[in-house]
Amino acid sequence: MPGYVTRKFIELIITLVLVSLAIFLVLRLLPGDPAQIVLGINASPESLARLRAELGLDKPLHVQYLNWLRGLLTGDLGNSIFYEKSVGALISSRMAVTIPLTFLATFLSITFALPLGIYAAIHHREPGDFGIIALSQLGISVPAFWLGILALLLFSVKLNLLPSGGFIEWGASPVGAIRSLTLPVVTLAIIQSAALTRMTRSSALEVLSQDYVTAARGRGLPEIRVLSKHVLSNSLISIITLIGLQMGQLLAGAVIVESVFHLPGLGRLLILAVEQRDLQLVQGIVTVLVGAIITINYLVDLAYGILDPRIRLT
Amino acid sequence: MITSFRWKIVVLSVLVVLATVQLPLVAGASKPKYGGTLRVALPAEPPGLDPTTHTAAVIDRVLYNNVYQGLVRINRDGEVVPSLARDWEVSEDGTVYTFYLREGVSFHNGKKFTSEDVRFTFERAMSDATTVPHPEYFAPIEKIEAPSTTTVRINLSRPSSIFLFNLARGDAVILPRGVEGLSSRPVGTGPFKFKTWKRGSNLSLTSYEDYYDRKLPYLEEVIFEFIGDVNTRITSLKSGGIDAIAYLSSPENAVSLKELGSIKVLTGVTTWEVILAMNNSRKPFSDPLVRKAINYALDRKEIIEGATFGFGKPIGSLMSPTNPNHLDLSWLYPHEPEKARKLLKESGYPDGFEATLTLPATYELSLRSGKIVADQVKKVGIDLKIEKISWAQWLQRVFTNAEYDLTIIGHSEAFDISIYGDPNYYFNYDNERLQRVLEKAERETDEKTRSQLYSVAQWIIAEDVPSAFLFSAPSLPAMRNEIMNWWKDYPIPAVDVTEVWIDD
């Protein structure tokens, strides 16, 4: 186990360095001068040159990169040009939206998907199964922004039950925060659960055809125990893999839903940073995301070991 | 002297009007109510909050006159009017400006406003240690003196007729002496003071209790919500999550919002001139005949209908209809495809030619106009390949390096006609006669002569068409019916809510 952790940690460092180097180079290759974006199209050349010097953009590339790495080692991700605020503070304030959004959507998606998927598998090729397949197909094909707008029109404009967007901070009102996250969470959960239902159904179907399930039923085990002990736990490996992937996607990929509901999440911050060529901010966010995704993968690996003792973490 | 004289006439005539018209008649319509919170949607968030070191128009939209005030300001009719200076005088030769400052004004940090603050502000802007986007606004300043706490004298090295207008811009708002950290905590003299900025969400202002004009502001609090998605802005307005959309970027929604009955949409003009810019150093656009042919091929009515649902205003030169010097020249090139074909033949392109129309993908008005323009010029044989690029790429390729044939873009700065006098600007347009006229206009101190010179400049540009001028974008602020006294036109990029009130 300690060996495994060390190995994963080294893996994390190497990945982070490679990813940050790639992002650093790609951003500098992109056309667009951050100083010009800040000062606008009528700025004088002297002002541009001065701002470039202030931002350190006139230094050679390797010096810029090494400066950034040095900052990272001391926990300083630099400053955002756009907001003129520390990147670390910006990311942590966005986490107050992104983390609850990710976890609540994942939790809700699992509570929809597992029962539906198993139900469909048990009632294979029956009307219930077809219904669930059709619904999940719909969920996969519906674009997130459209579902979001529909939800807004119904719950906010027509019924006036929930706010039409924006985020009330946890400190200001926890109830308000939950209310502002409700529609986005449900929208994301519907879309995530569609894929998850299909995955649950197909893995459960595979397990149901195994001899040990027939044997368990033959031993007269109650159906509920067959399902929970044998079917579910043996299907979980592929389900958890998908959940891990989906959570990684949600961290930065919820940007469309964040825009529709006008939420200050990490995804929108990343898009803004790229558009504004806010180089330090992009690098900071990507570094944090890569770290988070690698951590999720690590947790998924740990879960494998618990679910299936044959998988050893050595 | 002239300006000061003019201002006195305005005051005088207002007094006459007030004396003759019974006041209750005016107030009878509806009397402003105090209190309430106004939520305004803006599509973009400001990059920092210092209008003096950043050019982004959205900083001015949020803070201009609401939080920050200059010596003078632009009012809702596009005129330069007193703000922190209650009056001013200009010497005969146009090189000495004396400003008489308002008394009893304090900054939001409690400090008293004096002539030293004015001196600090302009010296800061001119100092090498400060990066300002437009050093040219302050370049004519030779010396700033503060003979008393309420008088400021500015000596210019040369007369500049646009100097006063430049002082009215967001770039020249007055800051308290020795202030720092303005990009996250603005400190001004306006009727609203800064409260919070939740990055990624909103920015809120509250009324300033010590504002010198006791009658203002009407609102208790103003919250600017930064909502990037156009549909979310609309649904938020419909559901009551916000009270107003400062700029309706999708004119097609104006009609459906009005039909609701509970929402009103004002139709005004802006300083946002949408033009088809041509690279005048590239063939065939270096030939004025080709540029004229393109102009005759365009049907502005159709473009305005298609891109702005008919809300835009046709223009013939680069001067906003909000500017008092504006001359309507939109009639100069009517839609005459036959003439366009003839001109193309004369210029040696009887079968037309191929070119690329580069469009910034972020600007909906550019994209919509681009498709219509390409379709219209195709009918006279000009085949345009449309190329969409990101804003950052546009800045680099088109604006900085001038690597383009044609592009469509909105020029939003107020009073920006002088860009056609700069041969290094991305139009690559070098017209000595125009440069002389613009230079003369800028030095002219007599208001009438100056206005005539600007008319000549507009005429030269309209005639020689270095760019094709399409339309002035509509302002289209949309709000619930109870929001009163909103600016119909936007003669300066500002959402000035100092006189807005809610009739609840």
Side-chain angles (χ1 to χ4, degrees), chain B residues 276 294 297-299 302-303 353-359 365-387 406-408 470:
Chain B
L276 169 67
I294 291 176
L298 297 177
D299 180 355
E302 193 182 76
I303 298 171
F353 54 86
E354 284 178 15
T356 307
L357 174 59
T358 309
L359 301 174
L365 284 181
S366 294
L367 297 182
R368 291 183 188 186
S369 311
K371 284 175 203 147
I372 306 170
V373 164
D375 192 46
Q376 289 175 352
V377 297
K378 200 175 174 121
K379 288 175 189 145
V380 301
I382 302 172
D383 208 351
L384 293 187
K385 196 179 111 234
I386 291 184
E387 173 198 41
L406 299 166
T407 186
I408 295 181
L470 304 180

Side-chain angles (χ1 to χ4, degrees), chain A residues 7-314:
Chain A
R7 208 182 67 217
K8 277 281 160 187
F9 189 70
I10 295 170
E11 228 175 88
L12 175 89
I13 300 294
I14 294 173
T15 321
L16 277 181
V17 169
L18 288 180
V19 168
S20 69
L21 189 63
I23 289 287
F24 182 86
L25 290 175
V26 167
L27 280 176
R28 262 95 185 153
L29 287 177
L30 274 182
D33 171 5
Q36 181 96 65
I37 294 177
V38 168
L39 292 177
I41 65 172
N42 289 336
S44 70
E46 306 86 67
S47 302
L48 286 172
R50 202 181 301 158
L51 185 62
R52 266 184 224 121
E54 254 173 59
L55 298 173
L57 294 171
D58 54 344
K59 296 203 183 83
L61 275 187
H62 66 276
V63 176
Q64 291 183 38
Y65 182 67
L66 287 177
N67 279 346
W68 180 78
L69 262 192
R70 195 172 308 132
L72 182 67
L73 287 178
T74 57
D76 177 13
L77 290 170
N79 279 308
S80 150
I81 314 172
F82 184 81
Y83 284 122
E84 299 190 28
K85 211 181 164 189
S86 97
V87 169
L90 283 170
I91 293 178
S92 58
S93 78
R94 297 303 175 101
M95 285 298 186
V97 172
T98 294
I99 288 184
L101 195 67
T102 305
F103 279 93
L104 290 173
T106 306
F107 176 76
L108 203 62
S109 143
I110 294 171
T111 45
F112 289 153
L114 288 195
L116 283 177
I118 294 202
Y119 179 88
I122 300 167
H123 300 272
H124 189 43
R125 289 177 193 275
E126 285 171 29
D129 180 29
F130 289 126
I132 287 169
I133 287 191
L135 275 181
S136 67
Q137 187 59 49
L138 192 69
I140 290 171
S141 10
V142 161
F145 76 91
W146 187 75
L147 195 62
I149 290 173
L150 279 194
L152 271 180
L153 284 177
L154 179 63
F155 291 101
S156 175
V157 178
K158 276 260 178 305
L159 301 175
N160 223 340
L161 284 176
L162 290 163
S164 60
F167 181 65
I168 295 167
E169 278 169 21
W170 293 98
S173 153
V175 178
I178 291 191
R179 272 168 55 87
S180 43
L181 286 178
T182 305
L183 284 182
V185 162
V186 171
T187 308
L188 284 174
I190 288 176
I191 287 174
Q192 303 281 34
S193 66
L196 200 57
T197 306
R198 304 200 108 202
M199 175 65 93
T200 311
R201 176 182 170 273
S202 58
S203 5
L205 270 180
E206 209 183 299
V207 177
L208 278 171
S209 63
Q210 297 287 332
D211 290 343
Y212 58 78
V213 175
T214 323
R217 281 184 177 145
R219 289 204 307 273
L221 232 61
E223 189 64 14
I224 186 81
R225 272 192 63 90
V226 176
L227 289 179
S228 61
K229 196 164 158 52
H230 294 281
V231 180
L232 187 60
S233 60
N234 282 302
S235 336
L236 270 180
I237 294 243
S238 49
I239 295 172
I240 282 191
T241 311
L242 183 64
I243 293 175
L245 284 175
Q246 286 188 335
M247 281 180 82
Q249 275 173 10
L250 278 180
L251 282 175
V255 57
I256 291 169
V257 169
E258 283 171 18
S259 314
V260 169
F261 292 99
H262 166 42
L263 286 177
L266 207 55
R268 263 178 63 210
L269 188 64
L270 180 59
I271 298 285
L272 174 113
V274 173
E275 273 174 1
Q276 297 291 330
R277 300 287 185 274
D278 195 336
L279 308 176
Q280 303 262 350
L281 189 54
V282 177
Q283 267 158 246
I285 298 174
V286 171
T287 309
V288 169
L289 283 176
V290 170
I293 288 170
I294 294 175
T295 313
I296 292 175
N297 284 348
Y298 170 64
L299 291 176
V300 168
D301 282 358
L302 279 184
Y304 289 166
I306 295 163
L307 289 172
D308 186 346
R310 283 171 302 179
I311 302 176
R312 286 206 181 277
L313 304 176
T314 41

Side-chain angles (χ1 to χ4, degrees), chain B residues 2-15:
Chain B
I2 297 137
T3 344
S4 142
F5 182 57
R6 191 176 167 212
W7 168 240
K8 278 170 189 153
I9 289 186
V10 173
V11 173
L12 209 68
S13 43
V14 168
L15 286 177

